[in-house]
Amino acid sequence: MAPTFLLHYLIGFKNYGCEAILRGTVSILRSSFPGCRILYATLSPESDRKALSDPSIEIVDARTPRHHPYRYMNYGLRKIGLGNSQFELPLSEDILRASDVADVLVSIGGDLFTIPRCASPEALAERTYTHPSLTLANKMLSEGKDFVLWGVTSGPFEKWPDAKRKLLELFSSATLITAREEHTVSYLASQGISDNVRLFADPAFAMDAGKVKTDFPQTSRSILGVNLSPLSLKSCFSHPDLSSFASQHAKILRDFQISTGCHIVLIPHVHDHINNDDVSYLKSVWRNLAKNNADSVTCVDWGMGAADTKAVIGRCDLLFSARMHCAVAGCSIATPTVFFGYSSKAAGMCQFVYGSKTQHVDVSSDPSLILKALIYSWKNRHAIKVRLNAKSQFLKSNSLSAGTCLKSILSSSSSTIKGVSCLT
């Protein structure tokens, strides 16, 4: 009998990266487990149900009630300077019911278990670590069920002692950990966790592209696709002035246009609150660029979804992306891609795809170095595309192989990875 999977923990499809992970994971599980039941826990149940348009995927509301007493108590603790001691919000009733019927919990959050690089060690030294995924995983493990960390970037945790203790204990108990880049494999191995860890391409590589349904610019000029993220700035700088950075990024792109004569297409990948909203930030960049030549820049509207956005990216000659899953979409469709990274996951993914970090430039880099990296990739875009064309099918098949590995493990009588051969 095919197992029942509970997929947890995504913020929802307001992040196309989350959508790509979910759609890719569903393809992988259905390929390896025909007839399996899939429960998808999300913080945006109404909008995700509409966007999915797939009644065979059962939506689970992961939201804790807005007016739960612990929310008010935690707010009070922060106001009086005791924010390090927080009450853990309980799991939703829907999640608890879903966990009772599920056989396997699959944590599909990707980079849930990481610590922002700008986080202060002093601020985290005494802070208690809590997370719904940790609570749910421990519950299901205590019931003898399987827990899988799926397509993850994790660690290092040295800045946060309580997080390190709890997470490494959890990771040691996981049925399987599929890491999406070598940094995670190496870090976990350094902490004595390797028997249950395997390296596979990110599940988003298994998501097929959709169709270009928007008014794509009709131009004879080559096209640079651009994704920029305010979250990247918040992750790298203390209290960044988004307006100032929008002007700075627009200047880099304008100088690039002068050098190459390209058309620029701005591509949002997340539409969330102001510090994590590509749409508003890219509109600010567009206003700066359009002052000089509005006909040479297009801003893609929000709402087409991850698969159709991937198709738009496929029309570009080069992609410059701050969001890692926007970059994954580019690489998987063989669009030469520059990772404009702000986290270890971007650098690790660049290394995984290209075998080096040549196509990676840090968000905190000097503007002149960012422009130099862009021009270098533009000049070499044809050679880069040849390399990606040769590798894109491997990336998709390798992503699908994670399902084959999981099936081997779940089929073993001891439900342990030791001694089980998995494709990598």
Side-chain angles (χ1 to χ4, degrees):
M1 184 175 177
T4 295
F5 295 98
L6 173 56
L7 311 184
H8 184 264
Y9 173 91
L10 295 177
I11 65 170
F13 286 10
K14 56 188 174 182
N15 183 327
Y16 288 164
C18 290
E19 180 183 352
I21 291 172
L22 187 278
R23 292 191 185 278
T25 297
V26 169
S27 294
I28 294 167
L29 293 179
R30 285 178 172 167
S31 175
S32 294
F33 301 90
C36 68
R37 184 182 178 188
I38 297 177
L39 312 176
Y40 163 49
T42 171
L43 295 175
S44 306
E46 294 87 2
S47 58
D48 284 8
R49 181 179 288 107
K50 182 178 179 180
L52 265 174
S53 300
D54 185 345
S56 67
I57 300 175
E58 302 173 46
I59 301 294
V60 178
D61 189 346
R63 297 172 298 184
T64 300
R66 178 173 295 181
H67 299 295
H68 192 280
Y70 282 3
R71 291 189 185 276
Y72 297 104
M73 295 167 72
N74 286 341
Y75 175 77
L77 287 170
R78 289 192 298 271
K79 292 293 286 184
I80 62 174
L82 297 176
N84 284 339
S85 301
Q86 295 280 292
F87 289 96
E88 184 173 348
L89 294 174
L91 297 168
S92 74
E93 291 298 321
D94 278 7
I95 283 282
L96 291 173
R97 283 192 291 269
S99 68
D100 288 339
V101 300
D103 303 300
V104 185
L105 173 64
V106 183
S107 176
I108 57 173
D111 58 348
L112 284 177
F113 303 115
T114 55
I115 297 173
R117 73 185 196 186
C118 61
S120 164
E122 292 77 17
L124 298 175
E126 302 298 328
R127 183 175 297 179
T128 300
Y129 179 82
T130 63
H131 198 283
S133 285
L134 183 70
T135 306
L136 183 58
N138 284 327
K139 173 187 181 294
M140 292 190 68
L141 284 169
S142 70
E143 296 168 354
K145 297 183 178 182
D146 290 288
F147 169 57
V148 178
L149 280 155
W150 190 252
V152 297
T153 295
S154 290
F157 308 118
E158 272 57 36
K159 287 184 179 181
W160 199 341
D162 193 54
K164 180 177 180 179
R165 178 181 61 81
K166 291 177 179 176
L167 290 177
L168 293 183
E169 181 179 339
L170 175 66
F171 291 2
S172 298
S173 303
T175 305
L176 172 66
I177 300 172
T178 66
R180 60 190 176 187
E181 34 70 31
E182 290 92 341
H183 287 173
T184 294
V185 176
S186 298
Y187 174 73
L188 294 181
S190 73
Q191 302 301 313
I193 302 173
S194 59
D195 286 344
N196 59 346
V197 180
R198 293 292 183 271
L199 177 66
F200 290 103
D202 190 290
F205 281 106
M207 182 190 74
D208 292 329
K211 296 180 180 179
V212 178
K213 301 173 184 175
T214 188
D215 292 330
F216 199 78
Q218 302 299 313
T219 176
S220 59
R221 290 183 289 176
S222 297
I223 294 174
L224 172 69
V226 176
N227 167 262
L228 296 170
S229 157
L231 180 65
S232 68
L233 301 172
K234 185 180 178 183
S235 298
C236 295
F237 302 99
S238 177
H239 307 296
D241 183 338
L242 296 184
S243 177
S244 175
F245 273 103
S247 297
Q248 182 186 108
H249 286 154
K251 184 179 185 309
I252 293 171
L253 296 176
R254 190 180 302 115
D255 289 346
F256 180 81
Q257 265 189 324
I258 292 170
S259 175
T260 63
C262 73
H263 187 94
I264 290 177
V265 176
L266 303 174
I267 305 171
H269 225 243
V270 174
H271 190 17
D272 202 356
H273 58 79
I274 189 64
N275 288 326
N276 191 28
D277 185 25
D278 298 0
V279 175
S280 59
Y281 187 74
L282 286 173
K283 284 183 178 178
S284 181
V285 172
W286 178 85
R287 285 191 292 270
N288 279 277
L289 282 169
K291 292 175 184 176
N292 291 43
N293 189 355
D295 293 335
S296 67
V297 58
T298 302
C299 195
V300 174
D301 291 333
W302 176 261
M304 67 179 65
D308 289 351
T309 297
K310 185 173 182 175
V312 168
I313 290 168
R315 295 278 191 93
C316 299
D317 297 279
L318 182 71
L319 175 66
F320 180 55
S321 178
R323 297 284 182 182
M324 192 198 75
H325 278 102
C326 185
V328 164
C331 294
S332 65
I333 205 166
T335 294
T337 299
V338 179
F339 289 77
F340 192 36
Y342 63 94
S343 63
S344 60
K345 65 179 180 179
M349 186 59 66
C350 183
Q351 178 76 38
F352 181 83
V353 171
Y354 289 111
S356 73
K357 296 178 185 174
T358 306
Q359 296 301 113
H360 177 273
V361 59
D362 197 274
V363 168
S364 62
S365 298
D366 185 85
S368 63
L369 294 178
I370 297 171
L371 178 60
K372 184 178 178 180
L374 265 177
I375 291 175
Y376 170 85
S377 295
W378 184 261
K379 290 179 177 177
N380 291 280
R381 66 189 185 279
H382 299 299
I384 296 169
K385 188 172 187 68
V386 169
R387 290 171 58 195
L388 287 176
N389 269 322
K391 195 166 186 178
S392 58
Q393 188 53 48
F394 161 78
L395 292 169
K396 182 175 182 178
S397 63
N398 183 256
S399 181
L400 289 167
S401 294
T404 306
C405 181
L406 179 58
K407 186 173 184 178
S408 297
I409 295 163
L410 296 182
S411 298
S412 66
S413 58
S414 60
S415 189
T416 175
I417 196 171
K418 295 180 180 180
V420 176
S421 175
C422 294
L423 297 175
T424 57

